[in-house]
Amino acid sequence: MTGTALQEKSASGQTGGILALAVLFAYLFLVALYESWSIPVAVLFSVSVGLFGAMVALKLTGLDNNIFAQIGIVVLIALAAKNAILIVEFAMERRRAGLSIREAAVDAAGLRFRA
């Protein structure tokens, strides 16, 4: 094997490590954004739930995890992260306004939730 086929062969099996590094860097960026070690967990949890749903849907429908599905998953992760970040921002804003944690979270989720 030479050229592109050799590169693909040598790169196979590295997906798990690359995804782990991506999650670590995303977590560290969110820690810097929120200046908290615990708040970014909510954002990452929502992204993992979206990813789990996408993988289950692929499995249930019998579709391959091809390049098109992977591009869709990347877009889904980006949208889920954006929405979760906005919900957390709204909840933090409501919390600063004096609402309880539960009220702030429910209010923010109600404002930002999209079907």
Side-chain angles (χ1 to χ4, degrees):
M1 289 188 183
T2 60
T4 307
L6 178 65
Q7 289 177 356
E8 287 178 9
K9 182 75 172 167
S10 65
S12 67
Q14 296 179 352
T15 305
I18 291 170
L19 287 176
L21 283 174
V23 169
L24 175 68
F25 280 111
Y27 176 73
L28 292 176
F29 286 132
L30 290 170
V31 164
L33 174 69
Y34 293 123
E35 297 176 354
S36 169
W37 290 96
S38 59
I39 293 175
V41 174
V43 174
L44 291 178
F45 181 71
S46 71
V47 169
S48 65
V49 169
L51 178 61
F52 176 73
M55 297 310 281
V56 167
L58 279 175
K59 194 63 137 174
L60 288 177
T61 57
L63 297 173
D64 309 356
N65 188 4
N66 58 18
I67 189 70
F68 301 111
Q70 291 172 2
I71 290 171
I73 288 171
V74 168
V75 171
L76 175 72
I77 288 171
L79 289 173
K82 176 185 169 260
N83 197 32
I85 288 169
L86 290 173
I87 288 173
V88 169
E89 287 288 332
F90 275 107
M92 288 174 56
E93 204 173 281
R94 301 283 193 246
R95 183 78 173 124
R96 280 187 226 113
L99 273 68
S100 71
I101 292 174
R102 186 182 190 304
E103 291 172 335
V106 169
D107 193 24
L111 286 173
R112 291 298 313 162
F113 183 72
R114 302 286 189 265

